[in-house]
Amino acid sequence: MKIGVLTGGGDCPGLNAVIRAVVKKGYLMGYEFIGIKDGWRGLIEGAYMPLTREKVSGIHPIGGTILGTSRTNPFKSEESTKRMFNNIRELGLDCIVAIGGEDTLGVATKVYSKGVNVVGVPKTIDNDLSGTDFTFGFDTAVNIVTWALDRLHTTTEAHHRVMVVEVMGRHAGWIALYSGIAGGADVILIPEKPFDIEEVCGYVEKRKGEGKHSSLIVVAEGAYPKEAGGMITKDTALDAFGHVKLGGVGEFLAKEVEKRTGIETRYVVLGHLQRGGTPSAYDRVLATRFGVRAVELIGEGKFGRMVALRGQDIVDVSLEEATKEIKTVNMDLYEVAEIFFG
Ligand code: F6P
């Protein structure tokens, strides 16, 4: 059995732990592996690397991905689609393990529908993939943001300021919500619930009235004010999957809060810090369990499936189901967070 492994989309702590688990488990089953470089782009351009037990030894604590990644969509042109399928045939791949988020696994679903065996592993720091309770990488990102919030609290308090902290989360506010609760944010703003700038200022002023001269606001990059009617973007360029480049809501909100409350307001954009570096112990374990189960699925001939976490158990779901729509935050949890606003 010859298996291709690829990692696509934004990188995510735990990718290397999945690769290691896939290869080590697969070797026990007598499988052979080929590393496909830079996601689906490697299959279009014919860029591969050997993936042996030696190559993956000890890589589980390392951030990034030894295979490289890209946001290339092979179905963007007929030519790239043709080249990808030709290369899959020429390589003699019996199966592809695709480790990615909604876009990479969306491609995997399409590739599977054209008759290629595929198994998916859910990756994204945003935790917005359906079919799984959690994706690996999310726990690490939440820990990094919580670490940052703990530090921002003290400097913000010392200067009697308002601090707006912009975190990742395009269409879902999981990182903002979890880290905001853990880090004791005074307001948390998520894409699922367009916010009212006056209400946000009201929380800041209420705190001031109670003698608290500093406030910490966590805002997901995809959150937007009701009056803007849509997401705030840096520029209008689209990536290969048609996403705009987000960013700017933190700066926008900081200016508005300062203008409307008269309190000095700063902003911090945590950006790619949230996805770089070593995975948390939780993510290493989850990534390892996902990788092992992905190879077991191949052994059982269960293709077109994605490994997933349900409660404490690793299960599998259909790739088609998992990529139909994104998983937005649980609003019951947002209501818990709201208790601590202001
Ligand atoms: O992978 C998802 C994500 O983390 C989003 O939250 C964010 O909008 C995007 O990646 C940014 O990634 P890049 O800068 O690599 O395009």
Side-chain angles (χ1 to χ4, degrees), residues 271-294:
H272 297 83
L273 261 182
Q274 295 161 88
R275 0 190 260 233
T278 188
S280 66
Y282 178 88
D283 279 336
R284 293 181 201 187
V285 174
L286 183 59
T288 300
R289 293 178 76 199
F290 276 165
V292 167
R293 184 66 194 132

Side-chain angles (χ1 to χ4, degrees), residues 167 173-182 188 190 218 329-330 333-335 337:
V167 302
W174 290 103
I175 295 177
L177 184 54
Y178 266 66
S179 60
I181 292 174
I188 301 169
I190 57 174
V218 175
V329 306
N330 172 345
L333 187 60
Y334 190 74
E335 280 170 25

Side-chain angles (χ1 to χ4, degrees), residues 9-11 71 123-126 168-170 221 239 245-246 272 275:
D11 73 325
R71 292 192 189 275
K123 160 253 58 152
T124 166
I125 63 162
D126 295 344
M168 281 187 171
R170 226 189 263 269
E221 61 184 347
D239 69 17
K245 211 178 268 170
L246 289 185
H272 297 83
R275 0 190 260 233

Side-chain angles (χ1 to χ4, degrees), residues 164 197 201 234 248-267:
V164 178
I197 305 174
C201 293
K234 275 268 182 240
V249 66
E251 181 179 0
F252 166 84
L253 187 60
K255 281 186 183 146
E256 285 298 317
V257 171
E258 182 166 298
K259 196 167 78 192
R260 296 184 195 207
T261 64
I263 304 172
E264 185 184 13
T265 304
R266 298 292 178 92
Y267 70 93

